[in-house]
Amino acid sequence: VRQLDHMVICELMIPGYKYIGHGHSKTVKSAKKKATSDFLLFLVHQKELKLETSSILEKIKKNAKDSKINPLPEINESKNVDKNLVQSNWTIIEAKNRLKTYIKSHEKNCYTTNCTVNGKYYIVKMSIFIEELKKTITVYKTDVSQKSATEKCELSLVRKLYALGLIKHCLTSQKKNEKSIFNFFDVCVNNDLVNDVYCLLKDLNIRLMINKNTVIQKGETFLLNHVSTNVKAPRITSRLNEFSSNVLLWIPPTANWNAWLGIQINNSKSLTQLSNKIERYTEKKKKSLILQKRIKDRADLPIFNKKHDILDIIKNNSVVIVHGGTGCGKTTQVCQFILDKYIHTKKGAYCNIICTQPRKVSAISIAQRVAYERAENLGKSVGYAVRFDNINPRKFGAILFCTTEILIRKLKNGLIGVSHVIVDEIHERRADSEFLLIILKNMVQKYPDLRVILMSANANLKVFSKYFNNCPIIDVKGRCYPVKEYFLEDIVQMLNFTPKIKNLIKKNKIDEKQVNCNLMVSKAYPINIRNKVALIDEDSHHLEIVESLLIYIENKLKMKGAILIFLPGWAWISELNEHLEKTINIAKKFSILPLHSTLSRAEQHKVFKSAPNGKRKVI
């Protein structure tokens, strides 16, 4: 007998029986009666006693007394008792699940439940009509908690159903320490498979259950002889599961899954029906004159000459590297090539593409550009996802541009519902990009139907190709505008610039190991220019040079276009921004716009808008 909160638990054990009779009540006497009654029902179910026998109760009491069964020690600390206490070899959770299963499988049986309140106690009544017996079973339970009363009622009802032989015995009493018996069988396997298995076991540092010397060769097959072993199979299984868990799950697009939100959805249509709907929508949209003009503009890009080659090589390879020069159109066009082909072949819903970009600004701006080229608003066939901001595309047949960090976060639960992954700007070799490539390599080895496209304008692509098992590389020529370079000495000569005192090199600051590149000016420049450049401190921010250069471009060159100023970090950006806004001549003629990843999307989006009339945009 033991105490559990306000309840007394009694367990009855009789030598020769593994079954334990359970009873619970508010008093010890009542709990013992219920435990005895529970054991009685067990004996009736085992057909060892008849239910009509009048002296059964006395016989059980006498047997228990003669056997001198000691009651279980009382437990005063209710915290040490498991809430899922096993009663009649059923736990509360198992009884609840078994009752649900029984009700579902016997729809003709009428099941009702009712709860009433009497003072501080809840009274739960459960009734079930048994079609086979043409009778109704009813149980009542009370408790200060409605949940506890319901659970007790379910447990009591399951015990009665079990006593009547309507449900099977619960096997919770099976000993956990019982050793499992493993049988060995002779099997025929291929030679290559044998070598792969032993190499895998060696890599995982697993002790071999069967020595390789015991494998007998017969022709082109091998027989594994019966070998006894002391190695536990569960240990090997867990190690293999640990190894296989390193590869993330991939599932192609399915009709009941939203790949962008990572949730299951209710969809009555199949992917084929959805594909036909997308194809009809696209064909109808092609009649638009705006879209026809934008498709014509896209056709002028150099990458359009390689469209069919790119699609063929992607179709036949799990991993493809696209090496395209700057301005060839690879970032905006490759994803559209793939999606348009799927839509044209009435398989649009089977295509969901994720394109990664290293920065938020590029992910948003490229998504807007692709949506513009498709004559759509964001949220239809094109969307984006960056930190704290996203516009998801339609559920099927779409392109999502996102940062590398967002994709890695999505991969936490696997890559489900995505057919293609495009990783752009792989030459930057950032830590998150390298980590993503490691994940994708493992995934394409396990799932060859997954398509991965890597893109770069300038990189040692042979390193990436070798890493991905010598995957193919396709080259696309770029289209760059003519660029003319001016160095610091050219600017000093052009502006006739003289550095101010605060920007002069201080001798006490010069490090002997540091090389001053401003002293390495070619002798082709006049001596006075070389002397001026040599006086400029390399560590200064050169704010006056930038200011003078902007005025020179506006007044002397008189060329159209915006000006980009690249600076190393937000501190320099904010300092130059404040300096230019305080300068009257600059503020009147220029629209100064800072751009940094820490700015809001609205602030970043300003750089894509046209400057006010009469002003030049400076970013």
Side-chain angles (χ1 to χ4, degrees):
V1 178
R2 49 186 170 181
Q3 189 79 22
L4 179 62
D5 292 337
H6 302 288
M7 194 67 60
V8 178
I9 305 297
C10 179
E11 296 179 346
L12 175 61
M13 296 175 289
I14 296 180
Y17 295 95
K18 293 183 179 179
Y19 188 81
I20 302 175
H22 293 264
H24 59 279
S25 182
K26 293 182 179 179
T27 62
V28 176
K29 184 177 180 180
S30 178
K32 288 182 178 181
K33 278 186 178 182
K34 291 184 178 181
T36 307
S37 178
D38 180 48
F39 206 96
L40 167 66
L41 291 174
F42 166 73
L43 293 176
V44 172
H45 186 265
Q46 297 294 324
K47 297 181 181 181
E48 296 186 15
L49 295 174
K50 293 183 180 180
L51 191 61
E52 292 80 6
T53 306
S54 59
S55 59
I56 292 177
L57 191 60
E58 284 73 20
K59 289 182 180 180
I60 295 177
K61 288 182 178 179
K62 184 178 180 181
N63 292 336
K65 187 176 181 180
D66 295 341
S67 301
K68 297 182 180 180
I69 299 175
N70 296 324
L72 295 176
E74 294 186 6
I75 299 177
N76 296 324
E77 296 179 6
S78 59
K79 295 181 180 180
N80 297 331
V81 182
D82 189 2
K83 292 182 179 180
N84 296 327
L85 185 66
V86 177
Q87 299 184 11
S88 300
N89 288 356
W90 291 90
T91 65
I92 291 176
I93 295 176
E94 289 168 348
K96 184 176 182 179
N97 295 334
R98 189 65 186 89
L99 183 61
K100 286 183 179 180
T101 305
Y102 178 78
I103 293 171
K104 287 183 180 179
S105 60
H106 298 76
E107 296 179 354
K108 294 182 180 180
N109 296 344
C110 183
Y111 172 75
T112 59
T113 180
N114 184 30
C115 180
T116 58
V117 181
N118 184 6
K120 296 182 179 180
Y121 293 94
Y122 289 90
I123 304 173
V124 178
K125 172 186 175 183
M126 289 186 180
S127 300
I128 184 169
F129 176 75
I130 308 301
E131 181 71 21
E132 299 91 329
L133 304 178
K134 302 296 181 181
K135 63 182 292 188
T136 301
I137 300 176
T138 304
V139 293
Y140 296 86
K141 293 294 176 183
T142 61
D143 201 289
V144 292
S145 168
Q146 182 180 357
K147 181 180 178 182
S148 299
T150 304
E151 289 174 346
K152 292 175 183 178
C153 230
E154 291 171 341
L155 183 60
S156 180
L157 191 59
V158 168
R159 290 167 56 193
K160 290 198 174 187
L161 292 174
Y162 165 71
L164 294 172
L166 298 175
I167 60 175
K168 294 183 179 181
H169 179 58
C170 179
L171 300 177
T172 55
S173 61
Q174 183 179 0
K175 294 182 179 179
K176 296 182 180 179
N177 296 331
E178 185 178 351
K179 294 185 178 179
S180 301
I181 300 174
F182 301 99
N183 296 323
F184 293 86
F185 302 92
D186 293 338
V187 294
C188 297
V189 293
N190 185 273
N191 185 16
D192 295 334
L193 179 58
V194 172
N195 293 330
D196 291 342
V197 168
Y198 279 97
C199 289
L200 175 60
L201 294 176
K202 184 178 179 180
D203 293 339
L204 296 176
N205 295 322
I206 296 175
R207 182 182 174 186
L208 302 182
M209 297 178 66
I210 301 174
N211 294 328
K212 196 172 183 181
N213 298 330
T214 62
V215 179
I216 302 174
Q217 183 175 1
K218 288 189 177 182
E220 295 182 354
T221 62
F222 291 83
L223 292 179
L224 301 181
N225 286 352
H226 173 82
V227 179
S228 61
T229 177
N230 295 324
V231 181
K232 294 182 180 180
R235 176 176 175 269
I236 293 181
T237 304
S238 63
R239 291 294 300 276
L240 290 175
N241 290 337
E242 180 183 352
F243 175 76
S244 61
S245 64
N246 293 334
V247 181
L248 297 176
L249 175 67
W250 174 76
I251 299 176
T254 55
N256 63 342
W257 188 262
N258 187 328
W260 317 127
L261 298 178
I263 58 174
Q264 193 170 1
I265 57 176
N266 294 324
N267 190 5
S268 59
K269 295 183 179 180
S270 65
L271 288 181
T272 302
Q273 292 173 325
L274 294 170
S275 299
N276 292 332
K277 182 180 179 181
I278 294 172
E279 194 268 340
R280 289 193 299 269
Y281 167 77
T282 305
E283 289 297 324
K284 183 178 179 181
K285 193 178 65 172
K286 284 183 179 180
K287 298 178 182 179
S288 170
L289 296 177
I290 297 176
L291 179 60
Q292 292 176 7
K293 182 180 182 302
R294 292 176 184 175
I295 291 175
K296 186 177 179 181
D297 294 339
R298 288 173 54 196
D300 294 335
L301 293 170
I303 199 168
F304 253 81
N305 299 327
K306 296 276 189 176
K307 176 180 178 179
H308 297 291
D309 295 337
I310 292 173
L311 292 175
D312 290 340
I313 201 170
I314 291 175
K315 180 181 178 182
N316 299 322
N317 297 273
S318 297
V319 183
V320 175
I321 297 177
V322 179
H323 178 212
T326 304
C328 71
K330 63 184 182 300
T331 300
T332 59
Q333 303 307 312
V334 172
C335 55
Q336 294 190 72
F337 292 163
I338 298 170
L339 180 59
D340 291 340
K341 181 183 178 180
Y342 272 81
I343 294 175
H344 180 69
T345 56
K346 296 184 178 181
K347 293 183 179 180
Y350 293 87
C351 178
N352 280 333
I353 306 171
I354 286 186
C355 304
T356 69
Q357 293 294 325
R359 296 168 187 84
K360 293 196 297 184
V361 178
S362 57
I364 296 173
S365 60
I366 293 170
Q368 292 172 338
R369 176 63 189 180
V370 174
Y372 170 82
E373 292 181 353
R374 302 180 71 81
E376 296 176 347
N377 294 325
L378 286 171
K380 291 190 176 180
S381 64
V382 183
Y384 69 84
V386 297
R387 192 181 182 191
F388 304 130
D389 187 19
N390 68 289
I391 298 178
N392 291 320
R394 62 194 180 199
K395 300 172 186 176
F396 304 98
I399 305 168
L400 178 74
F401 290 90
C402 66
T403 56
T404 309
E405 294 86 350
I406 292 293
L407 178 55
I408 292 175
R409 193 175 293 113
K410 286 180 178 291
L411 288 174
K412 183 179 180 180
N413 297 321
L415 189 63
I416 304 175
V418 176
S419 59
H420 297 72
V421 177
I422 300 177
V423 184
D424 200 2
E425 310 293 351
I426 60 173
H427 61 272
E428 292 200 5
R429 305 299 299 269
R430 294 168 42 151
D432 51 1
S433 178
E434 302 280 279
F435 181 58
L436 177 62
L437 295 183
I438 294 172
I439 297 174
L440 293 176
K441 180 184 178 181
N442 294 333
M443 293 184 70
V444 294
Q445 288 177 343
K446 185 175 181 180
Y447 306 106
D449 291 335
L450 174 64
R451 292 293 179 264
V452 176
I453 299 97
L454 310 178
M455 299 195 299
S456 176
N458 50 354
N460 184 11
L461 298 181
K462 291 183 179 179
V463 175
F464 293 93
S465 176
K466 185 178 179 181
Y467 180 72
F468 283 95
N469 299 323
N470 297 318
C471 65
I473 302 174
I474 184 167
D475 292 308
V476 181
K477 292 184 179 180
R479 183 182 65 180
C480 295
Y481 291 94
V483 176
K484 188 174 182 180
E485 295 178 343
Y486 293 89
F487 294 93
L488 180 60
E489 47 268 32
D490 298 319
I491 295 172
V492 170
Q493 185 177 17
M494 186 168 53
L495 301 177
N496 193 21
F497 179 79
T498 302
K500 294 184 179 181
I501 298 176
K502 65 177 182 179
N503 289 333
L504 296 179
I505 297 177
K506 297 179 181 180
K507 294 183 180 180
N508 57 356
K509 286 181 61 179
I510 297 178
D511 188 355
E512 295 180 356
K513 297 181 180 179
Q514 184 178 358
V515 178
N516 183 11
C517 295
N518 288 345
L519 300 176
M520 302 179 181
V521 181
S522 173
K523 294 182 179 180
Y525 292 92
I527 184 65
N528 63 328
I529 300 298
R530 283 184 283 164
N531 291 335
K532 288 181 179 180
V533 174
L535 292 174
I536 297 176
D537 185 5
E538 285 189 320
D539 295 331
S540 67
H541 294 188
H542 308 295
L543 302 182
E544 292 79 11
I545 297 180
V546 175
E547 176 188 341
S548 302
L549 191 57
L550 290 175
I551 295 173
Y552 180 84
I553 292 172
E554 181 66 22
N555 297 334
K556 298 292 181 68
L557 298 183
K558 296 182 179 181
M559 297 173 63
K560 293 183 179 181
I563 298 174
L564 299 178
I565 303 175
F566 293 91
L567 296 170
W570 174 247
W572 286 40
I573 292 174
S574 57
E575 185 178 355
L576 179 60
N577 183 48
E578 293 176 3
H579 177 81
L580 295 178
E581 287 181 344
K582 291 178 181 178
T583 306
I584 299 176
N585 294 333
I586 297 294
K588 287 182 179 180
K589 298 181 180 180
F590 296 93
S591 175
I592 312 298
L593 298 172
L595 180 61
H596 193 264
S597 61
T598 57
L599 296 176
S600 65
R601 183 199 166 196
E603 293 293 328
Q604 294 178 7
H605 191 67
K606 290 180 180 179
V607 302
F608 299 106
K609 296 180 180 179
S610 300
N613 293 331
K615 287 190 175 184
R616 188 190 298 270
K617 182 166 58 176
V618 177
I619 303 171

